[in-house]
Every structure is written in structure tokens, then in C-alpha cells.
Amino acid sequence: MRVWAKSLLVIGFALCGLTAQAQTSDLVSKTAFRVCADPANAPMSDRDENGFENRLAELFAAQLELPVQYEWYPMSTGFIRNTLRANKCDVVIGYAQGHEMVLNTNHYFTSAYTLVTKRDGAIADVDTLSDARLQGLHLGVVAGSPPATHLARNGLIADARAYNLVVDRRHESPIPDMLQDLMADEIDGALIWGPISGPLVKADFPELQVTPLLKETLPPRLFFRITMGVRQGEKVWQRQLNSLIRRNQNEINAILTDAGVPLINDMGTGLLDVSQ
């Protein structure tokens, strides 16, 4: 009797597991590649679908033979709650690895914070924040971002100019403002996340150059692996996206490189060789 009861219990747990898996899997649309995205987050995504994340969405949708369908919401507080968790979409194209709010796919690129300077400027060849030539200069930095800690450690924060971290890009654009200030000599350099600085400089600021900061050895780290984010528990969907990432990595790299995103190796020690 006890063996029979135990068997029923095991079967019951198995059925519960299958039911839970079916429920999470059923949330993923079978008729569209539903993307959660910011409508004003160029160069990554925008409502006109000109961002590199829009191009990545098109690539994945084509592989799945589905149309792209967007749920637009500002990338600010409540983004995941009001999009992915509300079942209005099924994937966030760009999300930092290890974030507990989503289930991460395998990472599909790694990039780093960068120092943006004028090509012919006095600090054009600076590639570390401990360089003595930065002393006394005015560097732009997003408040609360990882480079700010490095500025403080190297005695550069007092002369830095801070730009807002969390904004609604429909009304405020701190990174383009920072680059405009650099062009106007109001600051001497700008510390910006590479997937933002690279494409913006390539498209609109040819007089500037982007140098990935790969020599900083103390925390916080300045390089991050970027994944796609799906709802917690959706392991089948996660595995499907992982397979697409693996099989289309060359095409992904080509889209990112064409956009101007600085790609680095997984350990953050050097530029990625995309010629292979």
C-alpha cells in the first residue's frame, strides 16, 4: 500500500511539473515574435525600428518564420513588470547577464564602457582611467554608472560632470547631450557604455573616437555580457533562443559591428576577432 501511495505521489508531482511547464510555455506567442522594447532608446531600439536591437529582432523573427510584434514601454522602473511579466511580449532583446528579474539566455555579445575623446585631442590615446593626463580634466559620466567609482578612485570625480542615469528618452537624452558637450569643449572626454557610444559616434560624430576601457582591474568591472531576457520558468523558450543564438552568431556579430558596437572577448581583456 505504501509503495502504491508513493507511486501516486511521484506521478502527481510529475503531472504538476508538466502542467507548470505547459502553462509557462503557452504564454509564448505562436503567431508573432513579441518583443518588449523602449520606443526611444536609440541606437538600440526605437519606434521607427532603426536600432541594432530592432535588426536583431528581425533576424530572429525570420529564423522563426514569424512577424515581429512590439510592446513599447520606456526602459525605466516598471519596464519588466509592465511588459514581459504582464505577458504583453515574450523577449527583451538586450539584457545584462545574471539579472534576477528575467531568465537569461546565453549571452550573444560582450562589450565594455568606453572613453570617448576627440580624434586629434591631447588624450586621444588614453586607455585607462589611471592615466596622469586625465588629472584636472572634466570628464562626463552618467551618475551612478560603474565608471563613476573608478573616477572617484583616481581622484577625478570632483572635476567630472554628471549626467542623469534613469530618464525617459522621449523627453531627455543625456548621452547625446554628453557627446554634444564634448564637441563644444565643455567636457574633455565622456565615459559611456560601448553599445551606446559606438553607434552614436559612428552615425553622428565622426570627429570623435571610442576607446574601450579594458585595462581596469579593480571593481566594479566595466565589461558586461549581454543576453536576451525571457520570463522566469520558460526554459523551453530559453533553449530555443539559445539555439538560435548559437546558429546565427556570425550574423549577430555582423549586425552589431555594422552598427558600431565595440565587441570584446568574453573575459573583457581584448577586442573580439569577428573575422573568423
Side-chain angles (χ1 to χ4, degrees), residues 72-94:
W72 300 111
Y73 195 91
M75 185 66 76
S76 57
T77 302
F79 176 79
I80 294 298
R81 181 179 69 251
N82 290 293
T83 58
L84 196 64
R85 289 185 177 176
N87 191 32
K88 294 181 179 179
C89 45
D90 301 314
V91 61
V92 182
I93 295 296

Side-chain angles (χ1 to χ4, degrees), residues 124-150:
D125 61 339
V126 169
D127 59 2
T128 177
L129 297 179
S130 61
D131 194 302
R133 286 173 290 176
L134 297 179
Q135 295 297 320
L137 298 186
H138 301 291
L139 300 178
V141 63
V142 174
S145 64
T149 301
H150 291 267

Side-chain angles (χ1 to χ4, degrees), residues 13-24:
F13 281 138
L15 289 174
C16 287
L18 289 172
T19 301
Q21 182 178 14
Q23 287 174 342
T24 55

